Amino acid sequence: MRAARLIKMVLLLQSRPSMTAAELARELEVSERTITRDALALSEAGVPVYADRGRAGGYRLVGGYRTRLTGLARSEAEALFLSGVPGALREMGLHDAASAARLKVSAALLPSLRDASETAAQRFHLDAPGWYQEPETPELLPLIAEAVWGDRLVRALYRRADADVERELAPYGLVLKAGVWYLCARAGEAFRVYRVDRFTAVALCEERFVRDEGFDLPGFWEERAAEFARSILRTEAVVRLSEAGARRLPYATDQAAAREALAAAGPPDPAGRVTVTLPVESEEVAFSQLLALGPEAEVLEPPSLRARFAETAARLRELYSGALPPNPRSSIAGEAGFSPSGD
């Protein structure tokens, strides 16, 4: 455990000019006193870790010290080759650069580990787009990716409902969500999210922007995604659920909304059913979602949604109450002399 921590400490110092004890402690999830002991142990082992004293001090490596990748374990080497997403890299125009980087890493590995890229590729594949849709690469994605990687300001036309609007953006990062590309960018002083396929024109500026070092792309995206999910839940439905319906509700509707509604529900009634107030996007969406629960869910409110379920139930009853109609395919097969057994 300590050996792995020491290696990680060296790699962290190798990737930055210097780091304070507090920064190292936070990255390695240990105390600052442990960082002091680890720095001493590295120094005694011949790794040139130097401690700068004073308020702006910290730890750094001296003499251009570099460690090599030959200390990687097989699992670490295989995990390294999982970090690239081939389809996404290709769409951003970075496939060749990523391939070259993987070759260089492979060349630096021990001979016994050089098949790591093949073993990893046979065990994991990311297919980002959703089912039942053909993924389309936005035409301007490679240009936007170039701006992101180069910290270049862009002037862009962005399609809204009524017209295109012009924006000057500092493009911070790209996110691929269910086959759709999004750009997280700073417009003025605010960070916003834009769908890449809605850009109709993009021009790279010569001017570069200075990144806000405190910007955290995964954290920003998670926060905005949660805000978006909450913003589209504009109405409510009151639903009585059986035990099975309560279990299945998070898989039929918005998971976070369903779990919050279930947590806020009172105790079950004598029949074992619980009543929840569920945030939903619209009556139309709620109907299609709750219909999947069948008789395990009873809509109580709004009255218009309950009436729609009652009408659907009546139509189903009428549809299934009569005798089973003859199967035309069975009669055709019989006339042709075929039987299910194949005799």
Side-chain angles (χ1 to χ4, degrees):
M1 186 71 169
R2 189 189 186 200
R5 189 176 69 244
L6 292 175
I7 292 172
K8 187 175 180 181
M9 182 174 175
V10 172
L11 293 174
L12 284 169
L13 293 174
Q14 187 173 295
S15 65
R16 307 180 195 181
S18 69
M19 295 183 70
T20 65
E23 290 172 336
L24 286 167
R26 186 166 55 252
E27 289 279 356
L28 300 174
E29 299 180 350
V30 294
S31 67
E32 293 186 31
R33 180 168 297 189
T34 298
I35 293 299
T36 302
R37 290 198 297 265
D38 285 353
L40 180 61
L42 287 171
S43 182
E44 291 174 349
V47 178
V49 178
Y50 182 79
D52 291 314
R53 305 296 181 186
R55 180 179 299 178
Y59 293 94
R60 60 185 174 88
L61 295 174
V62 297
Y65 179 85
R66 308 288 294 177
T67 188
R68 298 187 61 179
L69 291 174
T70 50
L72 285 176
R74 169 164 289 278
S75 60
E76 295 169 330
E78 290 173 345
L80 179 64
F81 284 100
L82 291 179
S83 61
V85 184
L89 292 171
R90 191 179 302 110
E91 292 182 14
M92 289 188 290
L94 298 172
H95 179 69
D96 291 342
S99 296
R102 284 193 292 269
L103 286 173
K104 290 178 181 178
V105 171
S106 296
L109 292 172
L110 289 170
S112 61
L113 298 180
R114 287 179 185 165
D115 65 339
S117 62
E118 298 174 9
T119 57
Q122 293 302 320
R123 288 164 173 79
F124 177 81
H125 173 69
L126 176 63
D127 185 9
W131 290 103
Y132 315 120
Q133 60 181 359
E134 286 294 327
E136 293 185 5
T137 302
E139 182 180 351
L140 296 172
L141 177 61
L143 190 61
I144 293 173
E146 181 182 344
V148 169
W149 255 256
D151 294 342
R152 299 268 296 274
L153 290 171
V154 299
R155 287 190 177 88
L157 290 178
Y158 188 73
R159 186 177 67 251
R160 292 196 178 276
D162 49 354
D164 286 359
V165 294
E166 186 174 357
R167 292 284 185 268
E168 182 174 279
L169 303 173
Y172 269 63
L174 288 161
V175 175
L176 178 60
K177 170 71 172 178
V180 179
W181 285 95
Y182 296 89
L183 173 67
C184 301
R186 191 180 67 215
E189 298 299 320
F191 286 96
R192 303 184 186 279
V193 176
Y194 301 87
R195 275 187 63 139
V196 173
D197 58 6
R198 292 184 183 168
F199 285 104
T200 57
V202 173
L204 270 65
C205 302
E206 291 298 324
E207 183 183 354
R208 299 179 186 273
F209 65 91
V210 178
R211 282 181 170 265
D212 178 354
E213 296 300 328
F215 179 78
D216 172 33
L217 179 60
F220 172 79
W221 175 259
E222 183 178 359
E223 180 181 335
R224 288 304 171 92
E227 287 178 3
F228 174 75
R230 288 193 297 269
S231 71
I232 64 174
L233 303 178
R234 301 184 181 93
T235 187
E236 292 180 340
V238 179
V239 187
R240 186 155 50 211
L241 300 162
S242 68
E243 185 177 345
R247 285 198 308 268
R248 290 163 51 188
L249 184 66
Y251 304 99
T253 65
D254 180 83
Q255 287 196 9
R259 296 191 191 285
E260 289 178 9
L262 289 167
D269 63 17
R273 291 182 169 248
V274 294
T275 300
V276 301
T277 300
L278 179 69
V280 293
E281 184 176 344
S282 65
E283 284 194 21
E284 183 70 28
V285 172
F287 175 76
S288 62
Q289 291 175 336
L290 296 173
L291 190 62
L293 300 180
E296 308 304 330
E298 178 190 2
V299 173
L300 304 180
E301 296 179 13
S304 56
L305 183 58
R306 180 177 174 86
R308 187 169 180 179
F309 271 92
E311 179 189 354
T312 301
R315 291 172 60 192
L316 285 170
R317 179 180 178 84
E318 180 180 354
L319 185 65
Y320 285 95
S321 61
L324 185 67
N327 187 342
R329 295 181 61 86
S330 298
S331 61
I332 293 172
E335 290 173 4
F338 293 111
S339 67
S341 64
D343 294 335

